[in-house]
Amino acid sequence: MKPQINLLADKVKRLLSRKGIVVLLAATLVTSSAFAGVEDNKEKAIKNLREEFASAKDVQWKVTENYLKASFNWNNQQLEVFYNYEGEMIAKSRHIEPTSLPLDAQQTITKKYPGYRSDETVEYDGIEGDHYFYTSLVKDNTKILLQITTQGDVSVYRK
């Protein structure tokens, strides 16, 4: 009786290992095709980046659930360009000095946030015409992200 159990156990192992290989192969193909789609779109984004910013240096790519992002140096500026999954540009941003913010915004920030220091300031330009500035302010253990319009209106974007 024991030899039959061993034979049965061996058959089950072989069957499971074959099914396991099939499942593993299927999972690999699905993952590869999904990755290939992302890679194809990334190639389109890379081509578009090269056309738009031919002299870009130190390009770093990041793939997220919603977009592809290229961070790079161009004309002595730190830029980030965002692409959708079709490889089309959806927005671009650049790091700027806080003194490049609209004057009204600078005055508002100085009055409303005394003692805060600027951590990072970015100009954001979306393809749908949305143009904002974002600046993060730090004081002690508090960090505030402000959104600023081109007219100089300041609002808290996130605390």
Side-chain angles (χ1 to χ4, degrees), residues 94-102 105-106 108-110 113 116-124 132-138 143-149 153-159:
R94 66 181 175 149
H95 294 258
I96 61 171
E97 293 297 319
T99 54
S100 296
L101 292 171
Q106 290 180 49
T108 300
I109 291 168
T110 301
Y113 303 98
Y116 280 81
R117 68 173 175 78
S118 178
D119 187 42
E120 183 179 30
T121 304
V122 174
E123 180 179 14
Y124 172 87
Y132 294 100
F133 300 94
Y134 294 92
T135 189
S136 60
L137 303 176
V138 179
K143 188 171 188 175
I144 299 170
L145 181 61
L146 301 177
Q147 182 181 49
I148 301 148
T149 66
D153 298 324
V154 177
S155 60
V156 175
Y157 186 75
R158 182 176 36 212
K159 285 189 176 189

Side-chain angles (χ1 to χ4, degrees), residues 52-70:
E52 184 85 19
F53 300 97
S55 60
K57 295 179 183 164
D58 304 322
V59 179
Q60 301 285 321
W61 286 93
K62 181 178 180 182
V63 178
T64 73
E65 289 181 23
N66 302 314
Y67 56 83
L68 304 168
K69 178 177 81 170

Side-chain angles (χ1 to χ4, degrees), residues 8-26:
L8 185 58
D10 287 341
K11 274 188 175 181
V12 169
K13 283 181 189 175
R14 277 186 265 138
L15 182 61
L16 287 177
S17 67
R18 285 186 195 143
K19 283 185 178 180
I21 290 171
V22 170
V23 168
L24 182 61
L25 182 60

Side-chain angles (χ1 to χ4, degrees), residues 24-83:
L24 182 61
L25 182 60
T28 302
L29 289 173
V30 168
T31 303
S32 296
S33 65
F35 184 70
V38 170
E39 285 301 308
D40 290 345
N41 293 332
K42 186 176 174 184
E43 289 301 318
K44 290 176 191 173
I46 290 170
K47 179 180 176 274
N48 290 337
L49 179 75
R50 285 184 183 147
E51 288 174 4
E52 184 85 19
F53 300 97
S55 60
K57 295 179 183 164
D58 304 322
V59 179
Q60 301 285 321
W61 286 93
K62 181 178 180 182
V63 178
T64 73
E65 289 181 23
N66 302 314
Y67 56 83
L68 304 168
K69 178 177 81 170
S71 301
F72 56 95
N73 290 309
W74 181 77
N75 286 353
N76 296 319
Q77 300 176 81
Q78 182 62 38
L79 275 66
E80 292 177 335
V81 179
F82 302 85
Y83 295 90

